[in-house]
Amino acid sequence: MKDWFIRMFKGVIIALGFILPGVSGGVLAAILGLYDRMLHFLAHIRENFKENFLYFLPVGIGGILGIGILSAPLEYLLANYQVIVLWGFAGAIVGSIPSLWREASSKQGGQHTRADLTWLIGSFIAGGLFLYFMPYMFGTLPANFATFILAGALIALGVLVPGLSPSNFLLILGLYGPMLAGFKNFDLLGVFLPITIGGILAILLFSKLMEYLLEHYYSRVYHFIIGIVLASTLLILIPNPRSAESISYTGAGFGTFIISLILFGLGVLLGLWMSGLEEKYK
């Protein structure tokens, strides 16, 4: 019973990676010693299914509890201190980049090939342009059952790929605020259900693929991820008039910018610390 509650508490912590921009659920799972078993379970779902399901059940319950508990204060902070909070989030993401950079070359003796750098630059430019102009091409994504399925898929990818924070993309897509509101209100049918469906679909579709890609194209995958992470982080701090949740500097004074820079620096230190924990415990 004690071990059951410990795993539930770990689920509460991993929930931070679902809703905090700059924090990866995969990184937290690695820190807590769950990632390897979780990825193997997801990639080979029928192997020892009952045993693994019962093992991860308290983790899932803790994740749901953590989301419900943490969503309300996050929603309040974003509504009242958007600039400061988003700069702090961006700092945490930037702090995780050195770890991703080292991880990208870990299978190649610390070397970054020209092809790897091409993947990084290409994903940064193409990903950044696509994410920025997506509201112009498709309009603001409405918060509904279908788009929350997309949100669930992104959250699942953040668990499958350590270092990838799904909340970055949800902010850009305009789904982050509605998702937090739904979590806060425990909207089981309108938010939790479609996000669960999207997460399950993404796991079924991408867990084996991710295992294969990491086995055969480890460096390319991580350089691609770094490019996307850098692009999405930059876009968090750039106003976009066509994005519903884009940052707005209207009314921000000198004090706001000073506090934002301080929180950015603290976020960088937090990201570096968390990355160090991941490398220690993975």
Side-chain angles (χ1 to χ4, degrees):
M1 184 60 69
K2 179 182 177 182
D3 183 60
W4 197 94
F5 279 105
I6 289 174
R7 278 180 276 138
M8 187 179 74
F9 181 69
K10 289 181 177 182
V12 173
I13 296 174
I14 291 173
L16 290 170
F18 299 161
I19 58 177
L20 282 179
V23 180
S24 164
V27 167
L28 293 173
I31 292 170
L32 297 171
L34 297 175
Y35 180 75
D36 288 340
R37 179 169 179 173
M38 180 179 66
L39 182 61
H40 185 81
F41 172 44
L42 296 176
H44 307 277
I45 197 78
R46 289 180 292 183
E47 184 179 315
N48 299 322
F49 174 80
K50 182 179 179 180
E51 177 185 347
N52 285 313
F53 175 80
L54 293 176
Y55 181 85
F56 285 107
L57 178 61
V59 178
I61 294 172
I64 294 173
L65 290 174
I67 287 170
I69 294 168
L70 298 169
S71 296
L74 270 177
E75 185 185 38
Y76 173 82
L77 289 172
L78 281 172
N80 295 278
Y81 308 100
Q82 185 203 45
V83 173
I84 295 172
V85 171
L86 290 182
W87 273 82
F89 286 163
I93 301 168
V94 171
S96 69
I97 296 298
S99 175
L100 286 173
W101 179 254
R102 291 190 297 271
E103 188 64 34
S105 62
S106 61
K107 307 292 187 183
Q108 302 176 161
Q111 299 298 313
H112 300 267
T113 67
R114 182 175 297 178
D116 291 334
L117 297 177
T118 300
W119 271 96
L120 190 157
I121 296 170
S123 65
F124 175 76
I125 295 174
L129 289 174
F130 176 77
L131 289 171
Y132 183 82
F133 288 107
M134 187 168 61
Y136 293 86
M137 294 184 291
F138 305 110
T140 301
L141 288 182
N144 56 35
F145 198 92
T147 55
F148 280 133
I149 289 178
L150 172 63
L154 290 172
I155 289 172
L157 289 177
V159 175
L160 291 173
V161 185
L164 186 64
S165 175
S167 299
N168 302 22
F169 307 109
L170 296 177
L171 277 167
I172 295 168
L173 295 173
L175 296 174
Y176 187 72
M179 181 186 73
L180 285 185
F183 285 158
K184 181 190 71 173
N185 298 320
F186 277 92
D187 186 352
L188 298 179
L189 295 180
V191 177
F192 277 95
L193 177 60
I195 285 179
T196 301
I197 292 172
I200 292 173
L201 289 175
I203 287 168
L204 293 176
L205 289 173
F206 296 116
S207 57
K208 285 185 178 294
L209 174 63
M210 183 55 61
E211 190 178 50
Y212 175 84
L213 289 175
L214 288 175
E215 183 177 348
H216 294 88
Y217 305 101
Y218 195 90
S219 179
R220 304 287 169 84
V221 169
Y222 266 89
H223 282 86
F224 178 84
I225 290 171
I226 292 171
I228 295 295
V229 169
L230 287 173
S232 63
T233 304
L234 182 62
L235 292 180
I236 287 176
L237 304 179
I238 297 177
N240 187 333
R242 298 295 293 271
S243 177
E245 294 193 359
S246 174
I247 192 170
S248 174
Y249 294 103
T250 303
F254 180 75
T256 298
F257 287 106
I258 294 298
I259 297 173
S260 298
L261 289 175
I262 292 173
L263 280 185
F264 181 86
L266 292 175
V268 171
L269 294 176
L270 175 64
L272 290 170
W273 177 69
M274 289 189 61
S275 297
L277 286 179
E278 180 196 5
E279 292 178 2
K280 180 179 179 180
Y281 290 108
K282 91 173 135 181

